[in-house]
Amino acid sequence: MRRVVCPGSFDPITNGHLDIIIRSARLYDEVTVAVLINLEKSSLFTVDERIDILQTVTKEFPNVKVRKFHGLLVDFCKQNDIPAIVKGIRVVSDFDYELQMAQLNYRLSGVETLFMPTNPEYSFLSSSRVKEIARYGGDVSGLVPDLVHKLLIERLRG
Ligand code: PNS
């Protein structure tokens, strides 16, 4: 069984995240989407809401499962027998940051990190930009799954 993890905050998931998850699911037997429980950072959606959203938008991919984790990602990987992390790289500055994290994670545990170039259609996209645009009434359709679009409007304007 070839397993990988796609980790993140997913507050909320964007079409850029979804693209990386789907492409990973085509390459590997099992993809675990791991949602970070971060008590220090305020979020728009609770971890359980984010998990529900992720499960809904990935339901047509039977080899994708969604879990939450806290603490170190590599500990989650070890506990779940996952040897590699998949990270999307949007721009060169992502690589700078992700390279250090990948090297640290490898040093800590031997867990590998695989970089996947983001679809250029989404290279400008982030959850925080999506939230900001939606908060001020901008149109985020096409940038996030339809379900997220609907929930963002409800949460931010309603
Ligand atoms: O979507 P995000 O917020 O950019 O995801 C970041 C995430 C969750 C992948 C990263 O913060 C993470 O792995 N956090 C867990 C703590 C950890 O393992 N840190 C790395 C130490 S080298």
Side-chain angles (χ1 to χ4, degrees):
M1 183 76 117
R2 294 181 318 145
R3 297 191 176 94
V4 289
V5 64
C6 290
S9 302
F10 303 106
D11 185 42
I13 184 172
T14 68
N15 282 345
H17 293 129
L18 191 56
D19 179 64
I20 297 287
I21 295 166
I22 293 171
R23 286 161 60 203
S24 300
R26 287 194 205 116
L27 292 171
Y28 292 94
D29 297 320
E30 189 177 88
V31 175
T32 302
V33 181
V35 182
L36 176 69
I37 303 169
N38 187 349
L39 300 174
E40 282 151 36
K41 207 168 146 191
S42 65
S43 60
L44 184 62
F45 295 100
T46 67
V47 169
D48 289 335
E49 286 172 333
R50 284 178 260 159
I51 285 178
D52 281 350
I53 295 169
L54 280 158
Q55 277 170 339
T56 304
V57 300
T58 60
K59 67 173 183 298
E60 65 197 272
F61 303 97
N63 61 335
V64 175
K65 59 186 195 178
V66 185
R67 298 287 182 270
K68 55 187 160 187
F69 78 103
H70 59 89
L72 292 179
L73 176 60
V74 292
D75 288 341
F76 175 84
C77 291
K78 289 279 168 199
Q79 284 152 15
N80 292 279
D81 201 17
I82 300 173
I85 301 162
V86 174
K87 286 287 187 81
I89 300 288
R90 294 167 297 188
V91 288
V92 173
S93 54
D94 276 354
F95 183 70
D96 260 4
Y97 173 80
E98 293 294 347
L99 179 64
Q100 287 185 340
M101 186 111 87
Q103 289 168 331
L104 259 169
N105 280 334
Y106 184 78
R107 174 66 186 262
L108 282 172
S109 64
V111 172
E112 297 282 5
T113 298
L114 308 170
F115 293 133
M116 187 179 279
T118 295
N119 184 330
E121 211 181 322
Y122 305 124
S123 61
F124 50 82
L125 201 51
S126 70
S127 299
S128 42
R129 285 187 194 136
V130 161
K131 281 182 283 194
E132 188 171 45
I133 295 166
R135 187 168 287 124
Y136 295 113
D139 182 11
V140 294
S141 54
L143 304 181
V144 292
D146 290 345
L147 170 64
V148 173
H149 186 206
K150 178 176 142 291
L151 293 173
L152 274 171
I153 291 172
E154 278 172 21
R155 180 81 30 121
L156 292 170
R157 295 185 219 163

